């Protein structure tokens, strides 16, 4: 059985867990929602790195995982390099805003990028943007969405207050003919319907969950994983969590275990 440690600041990474469940079989997923420290996207790079390293250490030591999935764009931006150095024997897969698939899909050449403030400011995203393929001319409309993760964590995925937050951010995208939006935070697929309804037209929303799952499958097959069998999911949380949201995302009730991770 492939043992996969997955973490995020909260419920967002469960959008990635759903994709893992579609693609990978014969697995045991150990998911940590670090709600005690959410939102990561409004913390300092050092804090984000510390939280991520602590959780990874916990997953490796406690569950002896074979793979780590950073189901969080923000954690990936500030911790994946260190994690790969610390655990060279593990499969380590991060999450990055899907700007490249957006470039392949856009017809108007106008792409919106929604992400946390930390992700957009981080070197990883800046490098990605500097090294975009030059064949197609595109304009990126970037928006840091401070406060959106908290709304989603509260379960407010279609409330008036979330709409009020999103509407002015989406206005320049709407006015400039954006036809493709990169959801650069794993929480944002949970407000995908609201985003589409505010834009009032067909916009392609790019979420990278399936790409991550396929990448993990390819890496694990190389290590002789047998992709036939049942999956198990174990969820732990470092603070409060909206259990109703978890149930809605996963489509079933699951026992959620409170934990505390020593260093953080
Ligand atoms: N889901 C995260 C991401 O993809 C977390 C954001 C946050 O906690 O601010 O970036």
């Amino acid at each position: 059985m492939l043992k996969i440690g997955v973490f995020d600041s909260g419920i967002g990474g469960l959008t990635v867990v759903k994709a893992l469940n579609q693609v990978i079989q014969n697995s045991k997923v150990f998911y940590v929602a670090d709600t005690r420290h959410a939102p990561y996207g409004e913390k300092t790079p050092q804090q984000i790195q510390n939280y991520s390293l602590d959780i990874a250490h916990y997953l490796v030591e406690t569950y002896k995982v074979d793979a780590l999935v950073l189901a969080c764009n923000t954690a990936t931006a500030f911790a994946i390099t260190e994690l790969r150095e610390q655990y060279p024997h593990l499969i380590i897969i991060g999450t990055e805003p899907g700007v490249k698939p957006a470039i392949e899909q856009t017809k108007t050449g106008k792409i919106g990028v929604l992400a946390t403030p930390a992700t957009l400011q981080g070197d990883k995203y800046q490098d990605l943007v500097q090294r975009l393929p030059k064949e197609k001319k595109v304009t990126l409309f970037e928006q840091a969405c401070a406060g959106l993760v908290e709304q989603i964590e509260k379960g407010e995925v279609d409330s008036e207050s979330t709409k009020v937050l999103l509407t002015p951010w989406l206005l320049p995208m709407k006015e400039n003919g954006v036809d493709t939006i990169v959801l650069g935070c794993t929480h944002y697929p949970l407000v995908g319907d609201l985003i589409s309804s505010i834009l009032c037209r067909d916009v392609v929303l790019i979420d990278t969950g399936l790409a991550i799952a396929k990448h993990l499958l390819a890496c694990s097959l190389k290590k002789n994983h047998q992709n036939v069998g049942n999956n198990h999911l174990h969820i732990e949380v470092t603070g409060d969590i909206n259990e109703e949201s978890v149930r809605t995302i996963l489509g079933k009730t699951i026992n959620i275990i409170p934990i505390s991770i020593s260093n953080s």
Side-chain angles (χ1 to χ4, degrees):
M1 242 190 183
L2 184 70
K3 289 191 274 178
I4 313 167
V6 184
F7 69 90
D8 178 41
S9 63
I11 58 173
L14 292 174
T15 60
V16 177
V17 168
K18 270 182 76 174
L20 293 178
N21 195 41
Q22 283 172 36
V23 172
I24 297 185
Q25 292 167 37
N26 192 22
S27 75
K28 188 147 190 172
V29 169
F30 300 93
Y31 184 85
V32 174
D34 191 17
T35 57
R36 180 173 169 221
H37 298 119
Y40 279 9
E42 292 162 52
K43 301 290 189 302
T44 65
Q46 194 58 54
Q47 285 173 310
I48 299 163
Q49 188 181 99
N50 291 346
Y51 303 149
S52 305
L53 297 185
D54 287 348
I55 296 172
H57 180 77
Y58 168 80
L59 286 166
V60 171
E61 292 302 316
T62 313
Y63 298 113
K64 312 285 181 238
V65 295
D66 309 299
L68 272 176
V69 175
L70 285 67
C72 175
N73 294 259
T74 314
T76 302
F78 300 103
I80 198 162
T81 309
E82 286 68 18
L83 285 172
R84 289 197 167 124
E85 277 167 23
Q86 288 189 14
Y87 304 106
H89 61 290
L90 286 188
I91 300 170
I92 301 187
I93 298 189
T95 310
E96 284 188 16
V99 178
K100 285 182 191 154
I103 294 177
E104 283 160 22
Q105 301 219 20
T106 180
K107 294 198 171 58
T108 61
K110 307 285 168 62
I111 297 171
V113 182
L114 303 175
T116 69
T119 296
L120 289 180
Q121 283 159 20
D123 291 347
K124 252 198 170 346
Y125 177 77
Q126 294 301 329
D127 285 355
L128 181 78
V129 169
Q130 292 306 313
R131 289 191 275 107
L132 289 182
K134 301 272 180 273
E135 305 82 64
K136 195 163 171 184
K137 190 178 154 11
V138 295
T139 310
L140 300 182
F141 294 82
E142 293 158 349
Q143 178 64 55
C145 303
L148 185 54
V149 163
E150 289 99 313
Q151 289 292 106
I152 297 168
E153 284 293 326
K154 282 191 279 177
E156 301 219 10
V157 292
D158 53 8
S159 71
E160 195 50 39
S161 57
T162 306
K163 190 173 175 184
V164 166
L165 200 60
L166 275 165
T167 302
W169 293 337
L170 296 175
L171 190 64
M173 302 187 192
K174 196 170 172 176
E175 288 177 346
N176 286 285
V178 162
D179 67 349
T180 309
I181 295 188
V182 175
L183 303 176
C185 166
T186 54
H187 281 74
Y188 301 169
L190 301 170
V191 286
D193 288 347
L194 182 60
I195 292 172
S196 300
S197 83
I198 295 170
L199 290 166
C200 309
R201 67 176 132 88
D202 265 354
V203 169
V204 178
L205 301 179
I206 306 277
D207 138 31
T208 49
L210 270 183
I212 292 167
K214 287 179 186 164
H215 186 193
L216 175 58
L217 178 62
C219 296
S220 57
L221 290 175
K222 281 189 202 147
K223 294 198 167 190
N224 298 325
H225 166 63
Q226 305 292 317
N227 204 40
V228 183
N230 295 327
N231 292 333
H232 297 276
L233 173 60
H234 175 87
I235 302 187
E236 297 178 333
V237 65
T238 60
D240 295 331
I241 197 157
N242 185 326
E243 296 198 12
E244 184 54 38
S245 298
V246 174
R247 190 160 36 244
T248 308
I249 299 166
L250 298 175
K252 62 179 180 191
T253 305
I254 184 157
N255 197 18
I256 302 174
I257 319 285
I259 54 162
S260 96
I261 292 178
S262 51
N263 302 330
S264 49

